[in-house]
Amino acid sequence: MEYKPSTRHLINILVMKHINTRRTIRKYKAIDVEDTLLRRLLSEASRTQTMGNLQLYSVVVTRDMEKKRQLAPAHFNQPMVTEAPVVLTICADFRRTTDWCLQRAATPGYDNFLSFINAATDALLFTQTFCNLAEEEGLGCCYLGTTVYMPQLIIDTLQLPQLVMPVATITLGWPDEEPPLSDRLDLDAFVHAETYQDYTPERIDALYQEKESLEENRHFVRINDKETLAQVFTDCRYTKKDNEAMSVTLLEALRRQGFLK
């Protein structure tokens, strides 16, 4: 009997092929993302994995230009925040589940750090699934890691109640650029058989040789007046001082949102 792949199997093959050529898109055409398309993608993304089938996330959709301008400083005023047709803020959300419990004679106990971790995991799984689906439609996405740097500004702008915490932001639109593919470490750099295999100096040299030899990364070293690519990250991009300061800000936001006592 001849094997005929299902439609879902064919879609999975296309997704796997696409993931090898995906690009982060920061420039968008002046074309709107139709609400019907966006809602379909959000609905499809909700089929992703979730703890206890509780869907511990919420998504705030921002299209209004003034609201995007208010959000921009929280993302260091990166241009795509205001230039993208849509900005999605994905939140770890135990507010909805807590309200449901209270209205059903159940006593919730989700005002703690473990609950935040569970909800944040749910939210990030949803985020990645949404990005994959959106890119298959031809849309471009940019994941903004800045969401957790100054969360209180996002909380205030979007009027997030307690037990709701922003964890991811996606700018979304139709691509107006085709940037080069970003480099990735080889599989052996992050896959460990049976137990974690610590890294020897020789392994580090071998695993990072290709990354460090790329001209674009050598360029980063030169323009930042550094000796190594690693110094670009430690001394310029993600410094100890900034990490510690933003950690304090993040912890304070978690306290205000009710996830830390």
Side-chain angles (χ1 to χ4, degrees):
M1 182 176 178
E2 182 182 0
Y3 171 70
K4 294 183 178 180
S6 66
T7 301
R8 173 54 60 186
H9 181 65
L10 291 173
I11 290 174
N12 288 339
I13 291 174
L14 290 174
V15 170
M16 287 188 289
K17 287 183 177 179
H18 174 81
I19 201 70
N20 290 320
T21 58
R22 70 155 303 279
R23 294 166 168 82
T24 294
I25 301 298
R26 296 178 174 85
K27 295 181 181 179
Y28 306 95
K29 295 178 180 177
I31 303 174
D32 198 13
V33 178
E34 292 185 1
D35 196 54
T36 53
L37 172 59
L38 178 59
R39 290 180 64 84
R40 174 170 67 79
L41 293 172
L42 291 169
S43 177
E44 291 175 353
S46 72
R47 300 304 306 172
T48 197
Q49 301 92 328
T50 171
M51 194 197 80
N53 200 28
L54 289 172
Q55 295 180 253
L56 302 171
Y57 50 81
S58 283
V59 183
V60 181
V61 180
T62 303
R63 293 181 181 271
D64 179 72
M65 179 56 72
E66 180 55 34
K67 189 65 70 175
K68 285 189 280 189
R69 290 194 182 103
Q70 293 173 20
L71 287 171
H75 302 291
F76 298 95
N77 292 305
Q78 297 178 84
M80 58 274 197
V81 177
T82 53
E83 294 173 0
V86 179
V87 176
L88 303 177
T89 304
I90 300 92
C91 304
D93 185 348
F94 246 118
R95 175 79 267 150
R96 183 182 64 251
T97 302
T98 294
D99 287 346
W100 173 58
C101 291
L102 291 171
Q103 290 179 215
R104 297 295 185 270
T107 304
Y110 308 124
D111 54 344
N112 46 66
F113 187 63
L114 177 63
S115 295
F116 166 70
I117 291 296
N118 287 332
T121 300
D122 262 23
L124 293 174
L125 284 169
F126 175 89
T127 300
Q128 183 59 70
T129 301
F130 174 84
C131 287
N132 288 344
L133 292 168
E135 289 168 345
E136 282 304 310
E137 291 287 339
L139 288 162
C141 305
C142 181
Y143 177 92
L144 304 183
T146 46
T147 305
V148 294
Y149 289 179
M150 292 185 282
Q152 194 60 50
L153 177 54
I154 300 173
I155 291 167
D156 294 341
T157 301
L158 301 181
Q159 300 177 25
L160 304 181
Q162 282 209 324
L163 300 184
V164 180
M165 186 75 182
V167 294
T169 300
I170 298 295
T171 59
L172 181 72
W174 300 105
D176 196 25
E177 64 171 344
E178 190 174 350
L181 293 177
S182 300
D183 63 274
R184 291 292 186 267
L185 292 173
D186 186 76
L187 196 66
D188 290 337
F190 56 87
V191 175
H192 302 256
E194 307 301 340
T195 61
Y196 191 97
Q197 305 298 310
D198 211 351
Y199 297 92
T200 63
E202 293 76 18
R203 278 192 71 200
I204 290 293
D205 287 343
L207 293 172
Y208 282 87
Q209 180 180 12
E210 182 177 355
K211 186 182 190 74
E212 292 173 333
S213 65
L214 291 173
E215 179 53 36
E216 61 188 89
N217 289 334
R218 293 165 66 90
H219 175 67
F220 288 149
V221 174
R222 289 194 298 269
I223 64 174
N224 286 285
D225 196 26
K226 296 298 176 182
E227 296 179 4
T228 69
L229 181 62
Q231 290 176 350
V232 175
F233 288 89
T234 60
D235 300 352
C236 304
R237 298 191 65 183
Y238 307 112
T239 69
K240 178 180 175 65
K241 178 181 177 182
D242 289 344
N243 288 337
E244 290 179 345
M246 288 185 288
S247 292
V248 171
T249 301
L250 176 60
L251 289 171
E252 180 57 31
L254 285 170
R255 289 188 185 93
R256 291 181 181 179
Q257 294 308 101
F259 284 112
L260 289 178
K261 301 291 173 60

